[in-house]
């Protein structure tokens, strides 16, 4: 039997577990009438946003697909197949995001209802709601890749090689729009709702008299659930794409490459197995993730530490299993056993990066508490200390990535680097599940307040939410690491596919001409220009949040002015208007930064040439990596520094220190939830577009 | 006559003009007894700081000099000469910083006294006080370089090549300590004084009852004058060092190199002239700068726009003259006339980078006014908008540098890149003069308030100060551009001196082995680790400011508690204590980041090898460039957004918007005056240390 069918079967098993979780969640009590109303309003807003976003996206996807089909590629019919793969990738990504978000929207009210009974029940509902997203992403991912593999792997002259990057590009494009659009929506609505409600009118968060509260709740879903899902779906499939491309070009260019991968096999057989290897490791990871999901359970009487322990058990268990399965696969496929160390390096680096993020952003540790302390000297001090923490927090991830690269390269040459990324992402199913459950719990809390449920319900959902912050921080660190390793694999694949580098007998990449020297003009100019893209992209997306916020504030003010009885609670605000405004502006604002990310590598490739494009991608990776970590962790630390003060330290809620901490939290929100995470995707998208264009650029020296 | 004597003579002429300006300033009225007292207190504090800083520095310099002398270099006696050059570089830098700062300290009280008469008179005194710094730096620079040239250029086997980087390293080391130490002092004292005075006690800025006011005034001098002077002294001499090294290695390695420089000459003669060329262009720039300084004059009745026009006339006039002189020199020396375009590219890029900074940070333009507007939504919005502006402002400088590199390379190969930096820095004398006058005017304002002079005096000094902000912004943009071009030249020189690259017949640098490929593991790991250094360095220096601030706040509070009659104005605070505390902490805190910058390239070079070190330097350059611009411009824009509100917009002083803007200003201070500018030097220092170590690393493959 062709081994790829194992992957298909695992994908189907994953889907079955998804169905089981869906059935479990849907059978839960939906709560009171009021509760149902609120969660229906949030669902309506979320779906409305997604529908409109997908309509915009569909236009872009169709245009690009037509262009791809019309470009005169090397082989007849290749363009059509690439266009098809591209559309397929986009649809898979949309489907994964949609399914995950819809489930999150159905779980939030039920989590709230469950929280009326017990903390444990609420954890179960929200975690399984989140696990639907996690397992959907990986199941669709592996089934989609398997279909591509089965359909086109036997095309003559390895045309498969040119088709799979198009699939990745489709997924990447959707992810970028989802992350940027969702990020602008969520933070614009959040900040607008807080500014006009908490700050201006002095009413509590999630107060139903605030017309923006539903938009705020919708935002958590479109940004943190759908955006995150699309982001990691992209990483997931693109690591496989990068590994397959690297192997193919490697084996084509230098027969000895197969010797370091599959010493005992004939070249063609080795290539087939090298294509299978990442798919099988991913499949094993899905099995490990499913087991991990079921390991997340606590007894009836639980404390916070037991909850965290339960989630940890899930992810850690899956990690250990994935490592064991990975070793067995590498061994049974007859591959060089050194590859196991490469995979393990990625797996371990990913887990540790998450822990590092947690250290720098959780108020259980010194860095965040120091920000709380600095807040006693005013908002300026909060900002400085938080920003310094964000900058400082770059060192563990960078050192981890550097060490992982060195190990992976030592044991598996350039192929090892790609395999390290595969290892890192193999347990995505469970990592993403622990991540996606947070926004569900957050939403449940919002619903509890709006439905005026007893305070112990909100306390329970707050406990879950706070735990969700920890897992979200870990998840974000992981997502950045995955994006960087993945981009690196894609850049290496680009360089080989564009014919910039060949492979010498040492297992080293060999630059053909002087042009790829780090110090040649095109490379250095490309690198400098590349380093510019991430900051400009961040500036654009942060500004977009500001514009959305201002519009929301205006609308809520207008409703208070014009709708009589609103403040007294006798009339209902028009929630839909705020959702509508946030949707419209977010979708408009997401276009400029997204298009820049699509167009920049193409322009650099054409004007400055293929060598400059390699420099460009590396330059963007360097500043993008630093900025993504800094913005994420500074934002997370500010958020939790505020929470630490709210927990009764340095004067507690309402003190001057608290006001200062709120400034940090407000400033950090668009950094950590819009700009920072979008950078991940931007880096991957630029790399995969370059890879897709590599065959065209191969014979293109650049215009200057 | 040996042409180098022209440089010496120009240096002496520059010194004579300095003496003329000194005499002019010293003959000005010192004002009332109270005024003399205050300015004496500031001078005392400033000199005390410098003396202690130089004592710390002297120890580090001596230790490094001994190490240099003991290292077994390729030639006998080379270590001793390098140690000598290193100490000489350090002494020149210290001397330039000291002389400039001492003059600034003598000019501030006199400017205040002059402001009692007229705005024009105050401009004259403060500008000439600042011009002393500008012309001292360039005069000492050119004389020092000429002495080195005369002493050692004829050593056998071009040992000169190994000695001059040691001179640059000496200057660089002093600059780093001066910038970091001065930056921590000035912002720690500033923030501490504001927090405890304006915010806590509600007394005006510069109120004499605040024990930290003198420390605040001292800070302007040790940070903005002495630190800036040392920074640009370093850039000045190191551009010449980079150019000379590049030429030498180039001519040694490939005889054709002399053909693109001096087509008509014999190799040895060509080399001598290639060494002279940067020195002569610098000399011409000094002449242009002196003329520029005298062009800065206004009539008796002046408005702000006339003041700005006068300063612009000075810098623009000098730029045009430098270009004309440069062309004449290149032509008369018999050099390839294409080199003129390389030099011009640098000159123009430097001027435009200054303008770009001005656009993004002056409240005359949209970006800063938008930050003022965002402040109406609170401190969080101020931070987001300002930070987005800082990020966005990276694009003009990066595009300018990229274009300058392309042009310079096209017309002068790698030598052109170094010559572009020479062009950029040739008019440093006048640029630095317009920059150094700002802190003098700022100090004069502080003295006016402390001496309780009539309000129109403060108004006049405020007008000068505000103009000084514009020129300081321009100067900072220029300093970053100069640092980047200079680092690039040094990195190229390093790569050639370490034998990483050779030169092919196309004028392209030629990577010898695959190891310098952008995508080889050592290079990529080096690049990733290099990208980490700037953020960590910034985090350390920003945190150091926070520590200093806290100590100052405690001390002022203690004095108010313990000294009776202080708040009533019947007793004097112990100003010296605050100066002393800020000095002690700043000098202690500057050590860790400075030592990291010194040690990091050495460790990378030894552990990861010479190829990784090239990647490391480029990685640091990429993130350092982005961070330096972002921090400088965000900080500057926040500062001026606050001033725009204080000028009566969005509610004016005391409004909620103003409070939000103050948060931005406070947060931006350590970014723009400590972390941002220190990055310039860090980049240059790491590059020049690598260049100095290149002969040792040439035969060193790295430990892994």
């Amino acid at each position: 039997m062709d081994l790829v069918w194992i992957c298909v079967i695992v994908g189907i098993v994953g889907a079955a577990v998804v169905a089981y979780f869906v059935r479990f969640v849907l059978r839960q009590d939906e709560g009171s009438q009021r509760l149902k109303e609120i969660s229906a309003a949030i669902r309506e807003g979320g779906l409305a946003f997604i529908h409109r976003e997908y309509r915009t996206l569909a236009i872009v996807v169709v245009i690009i697909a037509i262009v791809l089909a019309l470009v005169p590629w090397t082989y007849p019919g290749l363009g059509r197949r690439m266009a098809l793969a591209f559309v397929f990738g986009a649809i898979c990504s949309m489907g994964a995001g949609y399914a995950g978000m819809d489930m999150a929207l159905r779980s939030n009210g039920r989590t709230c209802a469950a929280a009326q009974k017990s903390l444990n029940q609420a954890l179960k509902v929200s975690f399984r709601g989140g696990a639907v997203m996690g397992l959907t992403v990986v199941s669709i991912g592996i089934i989609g890749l398997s279909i591509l593999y089965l359909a086109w792997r036997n095309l003559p002259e390895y045309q498969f090689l040119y088709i799979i990057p198009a699939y990745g590009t489709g997924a990447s494009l959707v992810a970028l729009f989802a992350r940027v659009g969702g990020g602008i929506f969520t933070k614009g609505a959040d900040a607008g709702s807080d500014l006009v409600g908490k700050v201006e009118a002095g009413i509590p968060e999630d107060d139903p008299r605030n017309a923006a509260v539903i938009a705020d709740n919708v935002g958590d879903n479109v940004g943190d659930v759908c955006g995150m899902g699309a982001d990691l779906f992209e990483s997931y499939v693109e690591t496989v794409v990068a590994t397959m491309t690297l192997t193919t070009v490697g084996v084509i260019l230098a027969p000895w490459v197969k010797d370091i991968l599959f010493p005992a096999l004939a070249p063609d057989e080795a290539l087939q197995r090298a294509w299978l290897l990442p798919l099988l490791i991913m499949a094993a990871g899905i099995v490990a993730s499913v087991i991990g999901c079921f390991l997340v359970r606590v007894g009836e009487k639980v404390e916070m530490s037991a909850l965290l322990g339960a989630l940890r058990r899930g992810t850690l268990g899956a990690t250990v299993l994935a490592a064991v399965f990975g070793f067995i696969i590498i061994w049974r496929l007859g591959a060089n056993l050194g590859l196991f160390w490469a995979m393990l390096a990625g797996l371990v680096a990913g887990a540790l990066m998450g822990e590092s993020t947690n250290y720098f952003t959780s108020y259980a540790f010194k860095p965040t508490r120091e920000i709380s302390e600095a807040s006693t000297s005013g908002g300026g001090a909060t900002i400085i200390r938080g920003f310094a923490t964000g900058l400082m927090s770059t060192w563990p991830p960078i050192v981890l990535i550097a060490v992982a690269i060195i190990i992976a390269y030592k044991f598996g040459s350039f192929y090892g680097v790609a395999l390290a990324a595969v290892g890192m992402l193999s347990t995505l199913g469970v990592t993403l599940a622990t991540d996606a459950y947070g926004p569900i719990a957050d939403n449940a809390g919002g619903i509890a307040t709006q439905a005026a449920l007893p305070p112990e319900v909100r306390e329970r959902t707050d406990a879950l939410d706070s735990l969700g912050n920890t897992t979200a921080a870990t998840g974000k660190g992981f997502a950045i690491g995955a994006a960087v390793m993945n981009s690196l694999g894609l850049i290496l694949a680009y360089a080989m596919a564009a014919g910039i580098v060949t492979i010498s007998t040492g297992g080293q990449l060999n630059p053909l001409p002087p042009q790829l020297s780090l110090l040649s003009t095109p490379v250095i100019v490309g690198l400098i220009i590349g380093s510019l893209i991430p900051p400009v992209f961040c500036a654009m997306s942060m500004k977009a949040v500001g514009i959305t916020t201002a519009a929301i504030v205006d609308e809520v003010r207008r409703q208070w002015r014009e709708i009589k009885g609103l403040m007294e609670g006798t009339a209902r605000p028009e929630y839909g208007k705020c959702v509508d405004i946030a949707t419209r502006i977010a979708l408009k604002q997401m276009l400029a930064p997204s298009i820049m990310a699509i167009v920049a590598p193409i322009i650099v490739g054409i004007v400055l040439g293929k060598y400059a494009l390699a420099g460009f991608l590396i330059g963007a990776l360097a500043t993008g990596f630093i900025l993504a970590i800094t913005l994420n962790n500074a934002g997370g630390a500010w958020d939790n520094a505020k929470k630490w003060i709210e927990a009764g330290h340095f004067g507690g809620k309402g003190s001057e220190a608290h006001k200062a901490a709120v400034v940090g939290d407000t400033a950090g929100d668009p950094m950590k939830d819009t700009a920072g995470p979008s950078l991940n995707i931007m880096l991957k998208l630029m790399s995969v577009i370059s890879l897709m264009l590599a065959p065209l650029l191969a014979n293109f020296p650049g215009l200057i």
Side-chain angles (χ1 to χ4, degrees), chain A residues 379-674:
Chain A
T382 312
I383 297 295
I384 296 167
R385 187 53 72 99
F387 193 62
T389 300
L391 290 168
M392 187 56 96
S393 72
T394 53
W395 81 260
I398 289 202
V399 170
L400 284 168
I401 289 284
V403 170
I405 293 175
I406 291 176
I407 292 176
Y409 217 94
K410 203 162 190 77
F411 287 101
S413 181
F414 55 90
Y415 186 82
V417 175
L419 210 62
V422 173
M424 195 182 267
L425 280 155
S426 59
T427 58
L428 181 66
V430 65
T431 324
L432 190 51
T434 61
D435 201 358
Y437 112 95
I440 296 176
D442 190 6
N443 252 247
I447 296 173
T449 305
Q450 287 173 61
L453 294 181
E456 74 261 25
V457 178
R458 178 84 200 207
E459 270 163 35
R460 284 182 193 140
T461 60
D462 276 355
L464 286 178
D465 182 25
S466 149
L467 181 61
N469 277 332
T470 304
T471 57
T474 321
K476 265 181 197 158
F478 175 80
I480 297 174
V484 169
M485 285 302 285
N486 180 19
S487 299
L488 210 51
L490 291 169
I491 296 171
L492 287 171
Y494 157 75
M496 296 183 77
I500 297 180
V501 291
T502 52
I503 305 155
S504 71
T505 40
Q508 278 282 354
L509 293 179
N510 205 2
L512 278 177
Q515 285 93 320
L516 195 66
S517 161
L518 176 66
L519 299 175
S520 80
T521 321
V523 172
I524 221 160
V525 169
L527 199 143
I528 291 177
I529 294 177
S531 72
L532 170 66
I533 303 296
V536 170
F537 180 86
C538 286
M540 288 165 105
S541 58
M542 280 161 64
K543 206 173 161 186
V545 172
I547 293 170
T548 315
T549 304
I552 292 281
V553 168
D554 283 349
E555 171 61 20
V556 177
R557 283 188 192 147
R558 183 196 66 77
Q559 293 198 16
W560 277 334
R561 213 169 42 234
E562 296 179 5
I563 302 177
K564 289 199 193 311
L566 190 53
M567 268 318 228
E568 297 72 34
T570 56
R572 281 280 172 84
E574 298 165 6
Y575 300 116
K577 275 272 172 66
C578 284
V579 175
D580 197 57
I581 288 173
T583 303
R584 204 158 25 79
I585 301 183
L587 293 182
K588 194 178 153 203
Q589 294 288 327
M590 77 178 176
L591 283 176
S594 305
I595 289 174
M596 180 182 75
I598 298 169
V599 171
I602 301 177
I603 293 180
V604 169
I606 291 173
V607 176
L608 298 173
K610 58 186 177 179
Y611 302 103
L613 183 53
F616 172 88
L617 294 174
I618 292 284
L621 191 66
T623 55
F625 193 7
I626 294 287
L627 267 178
I629 303 170
T630 303
L631 297 181
N632 270 320
N633 292 359
W638 276 318
D639 187 349
N640 285 320
K642 186 194 72 173
K643 293 212 167 96
W644 181 242
I645 291 179
E646 287 173 352
H649 304 87
F650 304 110
K653 221 164 174 165
S655 64
E656 283 301 312
H658 186 243
K659 277 184 202 156
V662 168
V663 170
D665 184 33
T666 316
D669 260 357
M671 298 186 189
K672 78 175 199 294
D673 293 323
T674 311

